[in-house]
């Protein structure tokens, strides 16, 4: 791929901006966009040309040995575009190696094929090594925090009869002060006999009144006198 004078100017400006960022004018931005579009179009055209040459090479190879001259010329052009010869190309060149151009192309194609095989084997070995590599896991170091006796827990005795606080104090370094033991709770007083004091006199209880006392029965009223007898007594 060849660049013209204008394309080289735009490319030089783009490289300068990439190395030393700074303010960019609108014209420079448009030139960079046009250059990128031109490169994309050139790559697409190169891919189409390569596909056409490879298809044409297959037709020349199928018509060998009558098309040996055209096949050798076309194979050289295809190799310049990045084409890698396959087994059919190597077999055709071995059949035509009597001619100097075919022998030269055979040596070139064998070197390219060997290079491709080595690269393929290296990639395969790298993938296998990556699959077999042991997974490295970070190991957490043991905790160096001193043990502390928790109040209200178990008896605080270790497996050998030593208190946990004593073990923690022995674990302190020579330059470190031993950790103070936690304050112990005062022991609860043992239950004893309840002292009996002098009996206090109970207040006199008032008798509970009966319902008859609270609600006395009323006496029946005398029946009224007969008005006739009252009138006779008066007369």
């Amino acid at each position: 791929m060849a660049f013209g004078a204008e394309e080289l100017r735009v490319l030089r400006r783009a490289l300068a901006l990439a190395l030393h960022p700074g303010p960019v004018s609108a014209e420079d931005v448009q030139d960079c966009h046009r250059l990128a579009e031109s490169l994309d179009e050139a790559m697409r055209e190169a891919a189409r040309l390569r596909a056409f040459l490879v298809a044409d090479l297959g037709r020349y190879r199928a018509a060998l040995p009558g098309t040996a001259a055209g096949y050798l010329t076309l194979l050289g052009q295809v190799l310049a575009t990045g084409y890698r010869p396959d087994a059919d190309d190597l077999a055709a060149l071995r059949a035509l190696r009597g001619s100097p151009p075919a022998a030269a192309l055979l040596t070139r194609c064998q070197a390219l094929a060997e290079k491709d095989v080595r690269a393929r084997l290296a990639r395969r070995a790298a993938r296998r090594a990556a699959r077999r590599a042991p997974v490295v896991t970070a190991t957490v170091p043991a905790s160096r925090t001193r043990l502390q006796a928790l109040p209200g827990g178990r008896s605080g005795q270790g497996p050998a009869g030593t208190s946990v606080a004593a073990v923690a104090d022995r674990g302190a370094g020579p330059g470190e002060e031993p950790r103070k033991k936690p304050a112990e709770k005062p022991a609860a007083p043992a239950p004893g006999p309840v002292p009996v004091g002098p009996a206090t006199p109970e207040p006199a209880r008032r008798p509970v009144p009966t319902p008859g006392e609270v609600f006395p029965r009323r006496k029946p009223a005398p029946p009224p006198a007969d008005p006739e007898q009252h009138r006779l007594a008066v007369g």
Side-chain angles (χ1 to χ4, degrees), residues 7-21:
E7 293 173 344
L8 287 177
R9 184 191 66 79
V10 176
L11 183 60
R12 189 181 300 110
R13 177 60 177 162
L15 292 176
L17 291 174
L19 294 176
H20 304 285

Side-chain angles (χ1 to χ4, degrees), residues 192-210:
V194 180
V196 180
T200 57
E202 297 182 359
R205 296 182 179 180
R206 298 178 60 183
V208 180
T210 61

Side-chain angles (χ1 to χ4, degrees), residues 2 23 25 30 43 46 66 85 96 105 109-110 121 127 139-140 145 154 180 183 190 192 195 198 206 214 219 227:
S25 62
Q30 293 178 359
M43 292 179 64
L96 300 173
L105 283 175
C109 291
Q110 285 178 346
L121 292 178
R127 287 195 298 267
T139 57
V140 180
T145 305
R154 300 183 64 179
K180 296 181 179 181
R206 298 178 60 183
V214 177
K219 296 180 179 181

